Amino acid sequence: AIPFIEEHGAIGTALDKTIKNFIDTGKLERVEAPVTPNVKEGYEHIFGLLEKCKWLKEIDFVEHSKSILNKEYVYSGELDAIGTYEGALAICDFKKTKQITGETKKKYFMQLSAYAKALEGEVDALVILSPYNEPIVTTEIDKYFGHFLISRGMYKQRFGI
């Protein structure tokens, strides 16, 4: 049996492939079936939710899996997608989480704001996308980037890196 964490990772990987394929082709199609019944069931559940998401057609995706580098603050990462949402160029992050509130939402926006700062002003909004929810949007990039820098400073102080 595959451990619980590996099952969720496999579902996330399959979901990621599905979204990338959608951005590339404009078609929402199933990818190769994951290997265990639990993974397959979880993927099918989320795929079914994705088929009902209006936001998939409301966002004009222009790029996915973009690597970023911020030389000033010395960090890098890979954002999920960039697209136009409600007239604003936005960094979009895909989550399979049901509840995105409070501290979780703040952490996600901190991550996305770091990506936005690495792109040096190219984007105007940050969007969290989940098949369970309507898009969660902010334009407060500077605010969340400030939180990111504080959190990063605390991490550096604690771990020395």
Side-chain angles (χ1 to χ4, degrees), residues 10-138:
I11 293 167
T13 298
L15 178 61
D16 187 56
K17 287 179 184 177
T18 302
I19 296 290
K20 286 177 183 177
N21 184 60
F22 175 80
I23 292 171
D24 288 340
T25 67
K27 298 176 185 172
L28 186 63
E29 300 173 326
R30 285 171 177 79
V31 296
E32 188 174 314
V35 292
T36 69
N38 286 347
V39 172
K40 194 170 193 170
E41 183 181 318
Y43 174 73
E44 286 300 322
H45 172 72
I46 291 177
F47 187 88
L49 293 172
L50 275 176
E51 289 180 307
K52 298 173 187 172
C53 286
K54 289 185 272 179
W55 54 256
L56 270 179
K57 293 184 176 42
E58 294 171 351
I59 300 171
D60 180 21
F61 293 104
V62 295
E63 191 170 5
H64 66 75
S65 308
K66 181 175 179 73
S67 294
I68 60 94
L69 171 66
N70 187 312
K71 291 181 181 178
E72 180 181 357
Y73 293 101
V74 194
Y75 64 83
S76 63
E78 183 176 288
L79 59 84
D80 287 347
I82 299 175
T84 302
Y85 180 72
E86 296 185 343
L89 191 60
I91 293 176
C92 303
D93 196 35
F94 302 103
K95 302 294 183 190
K96 61 180 179 59
T97 309
K98 287 182 183 177
Q99 293 199 336
I100 303 172
T101 57
E103 195 63 27
T104 301
K105 180 172 75 171
K106 179 181 174 183
K107 286 178 183 178
Y108 290 160
F109 280 144
M110 287 166 49
Q111 174 190 4
L112 297 181
S113 72
Y115 295 157
K117 288 298 182 177
L119 295 175
E120 300 175 355
E122 292 179 31
V123 297
D124 303 308
L126 311 174
V127 183
I128 302 167
L129 300 168
S130 166
Y132 296 97
N133 304 295
E134 290 297 312
I136 302 169
V137 184
T138 188

